[in-house]
Structure formats: C-alpha cells, structure tokens
Amino acid sequence: MKTLAKVSNGHRLPGVSNWIEDWFGRELPSFSTEFLPSINKPATNIRELPDSYELEVSAPGWKKSDFEVNVDNGLLTISAEAKKEEEMSEDNYTRREFGYSSFKRTFTLPDTIDSDKVDARYEDGILYVILPKVEHARQKPVRRIDIK
C-alpha cells in the first residue's frame, strides 16, 4: 500500500520513499547493439542485374580517396579511413579538435563473379561496386522454341 504525502494545497502525492521503491523496483529497459546504428558498418544494398551484381554502400561525407576496395581469393573487402584535425587560435585561447573514423566490410564472392573485372565508383555519398558475372552465369534472353 502506497502512502501519500500531503502538500500545502491539500492534494496528496506519492511519498518519496514510495517513489524510490517504484523506481528501483522497475525492470530497467535493456538495449541491444543489434538494433543500434553502427558507424563501423554502413548500410549496404545488393542488387542483381542481368550481367552483374551491384553493391551500394551508403557512405556520405567520405571522399573517394578514403576508400580501398580489394578482391583476394574470393573475398571482396571494402574499407575506408578518414582523419580530421582542426586547430584554431584566437586571443589567449587555442582549440584543437581531431577525429578518426573507419569501417571495413568483407563479402564472400560466389564462383559466378568475374573477380578480374570488379569495378567501383563513388558518387553522391554512395560507393558503387560492380561485380560482373562470368559468361555462363549471365541471364540469357528468352528463347522461343518452335514446336514441331
């Protein structure tokens, strides 16, 4: 049973001890990093086209020179690294700020990818990685079969 404390206007409010009991008796919410956005893993879309796959990596604010894209033994690795330093002095104050950010994503390529022809471009905050299919894996146009 909760006790109420009287206030000067005659209304009753929960007492401090009840408020503390309620607060500490509650189950605290749990947070999972699975649902939190991660700076170290940019969102990536993979789209299948007739002759290739296209990866779209969302990376706004980066420069083309920040990226490195490698293909090695069936693994595609996309990484980026950026450092920023800024120093400002005025009067008797000096302000120095610096930052570092990076990410790395690795994808296992299927045998249907021609790894010698992988290409990449960066425009409007999106890194596009084109993964051409080998000839036998490309979609063939519909061929009409005559019935005899």
Side-chain angles (χ1 to χ4, degrees), residues 2-69:
K2 293 185 180 181
T3 58
L4 299 178
K6 273 190 183 179
V7 292
S8 61
N9 64 6
H11 291 107
R12 295 190 172 269
L13 297 173
V16 173
S17 63
N18 288 335
W19 179 81
I20 292 172
E21 282 178 31
D22 285 350
W23 177 257
F24 288 108
R26 286 188 212 161
E27 189 172 319
L28 296 175
S30 62
F31 296 96
S32 170
T33 56
E34 191 175 313
F35 298 106
L36 297 175
S38 173
I39 294 172
N40 293 332
K41 275 190 166 182
T44 303
N45 294 325
I46 301 173
R47 184 168 60 153
E48 182 174 10
L49 302 169
D51 296 337
S52 64
Y53 291 94
E54 183 177 76
L55 268 71
E56 300 171 332
V57 181
S58 176
W62 295 83
K63 295 181 290 196
K64 184 169 78 168
S65 60
D66 294 335
F67 294 98
E68 188 171 315
V69 178

Side-chain angles (χ1 to χ4, degrees), residues 92-144:
N92 292 330
Y93 296 96
T94 299
R95 182 186 72 168
R96 184 169 183 221
E97 295 182 6
F98 59 92
Y100 173 84
S101 55
S102 68
F103 72 82
K104 184 175 186 177
R105 302 277 321 250
T106 303
F107 301 89
T108 301
L109 297 177
D111 294 337
T112 57
I113 298 298
D114 188 347
S115 61
D116 292 333
K117 295 181 181 175
V118 172
D119 197 18
R121 74 181 189 282
Y122 181 69
E123 54 184 63
D124 299 328
I126 306 287
L127 175 67
Y128 297 92
V129 181
I130 310 304
L131 305 164
K133 294 178 183 177
V134 292
E135 187 62 39
H136 71 273
R138 294 182 180 195
Q139 259 183 359
K140 308 278 191 263
V142 174
R143 188 175 66 118
R144 185 166 186 263

